[in-house]
Amino acid sequence: MISVVGHTAIDHISKVGHLPEKNCSTHISDRQIYYGGGAANIAAGIATLGGQTTLISCVGGDFYGGDYDAWMKKLGVRQQFFVVPDAHTPTAFMFTDESGDQMTFFEWGASKAFAHSEPPALPFVHMATADPEFNCRVAEKSEFASFDPGQDIFYYTKEQLDSLLDNIDILFANQHEIEHMCRTLGTSRDAIVGRVKMAIFTMSGDGSTLYTAGKEHFIPVVPVTLADPTGAGDSYRAGFLTAYVQGYSPLTSCRVGTVTASFVVEHVGCQTHLPTWSMMTERYRQHFGDLGKP
């Protein structure tokens, strides 16, 4: 069982010609509403791949009985929610320009309840975007923990990042997040890698790098026609975690993550084109050879 802690959100995804500078504007050429939230995306990805997962999240009074609730139940995602009746379910407003660069505005809504909720002690947990202090306490109490800061990296203090690095087994981050972590901690990328058992850094269209057991492994992307980069990192983590708990090696698990992400970016929305395990293994074979057994 993989527990996933963090946001469940409604995504408003817009396409723009360019991202505007401060005090300027731009035209929206397309806007769609999708299911999202970093933790919910990961949980949905794990469930679609056939893994068992529990989503630990905060939702508003508008969630239960709605379409998103029904979708999660259809996927088989177990729900462990803190419900805030008079708050909105968190909402993200994302704007992507023609070059693939993105800007996000996030309404926390019900997720503010994380700050005063009791964190669970879990056997295997992935902590996605959520309240920094809540994530710190989850990491301290859990047996095995992985962590990705996502867009919430800017909320973490030096003390909170230090606490997490002392208590996690796997660190996921993209190139922007790891740079910000280095600035906040006043340290180097290599020093951060040295503090965790395993680090996985994603670099958008330039692939990802795995650091484990003193070795560095580069994983190239699977070339596809990009429709929307939103959710690529979440689906990568879903693929990795699903493979890793089955007993696949960290390197193979990273490749599974890469292949899983390649499906998601072919369509707009984080949960609109999640692959099953058989879909993933077929594409894996085309690019990396036979997946084999763990």
Side-chain angles (χ1 to χ4, degrees):
M1 172 66 68
I2 304 170
S3 298
V4 186
V5 171
H7 297 305
T8 297
I10 307 297
D11 288 344
H12 294 249
I13 299 178
S14 299
K15 292 182 179 180
V16 297
H18 67 279
L19 297 174
E21 297 179 3
K22 185 170 63 175
N23 298 320
C24 295
S25 66
T26 188
H27 291 289
I28 294 174
S29 57
D30 182 71
R31 182 174 70 88
Q32 303 292 333
I33 301 175
Y34 299 96
Y35 304 140
N41 293 337
I42 295 168
I46 292 168
T48 305
L49 286 166
Q52 292 187 325
T53 184
T54 296
L55 174 60
I56 301 169
S57 193
C58 298
V59 297
D62 54 351
F63 184 84
Y64 277 122
D67 292 343
Y68 201 171
D69 180 27
W71 168 248
M72 282 287 165
K73 288 173 178 172
K74 179 181 178 181
L75 293 179
V77 174
R78 294 169 175 82
Q79 299 175 350
Q80 187 176 328
F81 288 161
F82 304 107
V83 182
V84 185
D86 58 349
H88 292 139
T89 294
T91 306
F93 301 88
M94 286 167 277
F95 303 88
T96 305
D97 67 14
E98 293 175 352
S99 64
D101 288 328
Q102 191 174 80
M103 183 178 292
T104 301
F105 297 84
F106 192 77
E107 177 192 6
W108 272 60
S111 281
K112 292 179 181 178
F114 275 126
H116 51 79
S117 298
E118 181 62 27
L122 300 163
F124 189 108
V125 62
H126 177 76
M127 296 165 295
T129 51
D131 178 79
E133 194 59 34
F134 186 85
N135 273 351
C136 287
R137 288 182 284 150
V138 170
E140 290 171 0
K141 296 174 68 173
S142 297
E143 295 175 27
F144 187 100
S146 66
F147 167 66
D148 77 87
Q151 70 267 20
D152 288 348
I153 183 62
F154 302 102
Y155 295 108
Y156 285 85
T157 64
K158 179 182 184 300
E159 291 72 24
Q160 288 166 337
L161 288 176
D162 272 325
S163 174
L164 282 162
L165 290 173
D166 286 341
N167 289 289
I168 62 174
D169 298 273
I170 306 175
L171 170 66
F172 292 90
N174 66 26
Q175 66 268 38
H176 308 296
E177 293 155 4
I178 192 60
E179 288 171 6
H180 187 84
M181 289 181 71
C182 289
R183 290 194 297 270
T184 301
L185 292 166
T187 190
S188 68
R189 178 189 181 110
D190 289 343
I192 290 175
V193 168
R195 292 184 61 178
V196 293
K197 295 177 183 176
M198 192 186 312
I200 300 163
F201 299 149
T202 56
M203 300 166 285
S204 301
D206 294 325
S208 59
T209 305
L210 164 69
Y211 300 88
T212 185
K215 295 182 180 180
E216 177 180 334
H217 307 271
F218 174 73
I219 303 94
V221 298
V222 171
V224 295
T225 301
L226 177 68
D228 177 25
T230 311
D234 295 334
S235 54
Y236 184 110
R237 290 181 275 277
F240 176 94
L241 294 168
T242 304
Y244 189 73
V245 297
Q246 291 184 47
Y248 285 98
S249 71
L251 179 57
T252 298
S253 298
C254 284
R255 289 170 176 164
V256 170
T258 296
V259 174
T260 302
S262 74
F263 283 91
V264 172
V265 301
E266 290 178 312
H267 291 247
V268 178
C270 300
Q271 299 180 30
T272 52
H273 196 227
L274 296 168
T276 63
W277 187 260
S278 61
M279 291 167 62
M280 184 281 299
T281 54
E282 181 179 351
R283 186 172 289 185
Y284 186 104
R285 190 177 301 113
Q286 295 171 3
H287 296 276
F288 297 111
D290 186 31
L291 177 62
K293 295 182 179 180

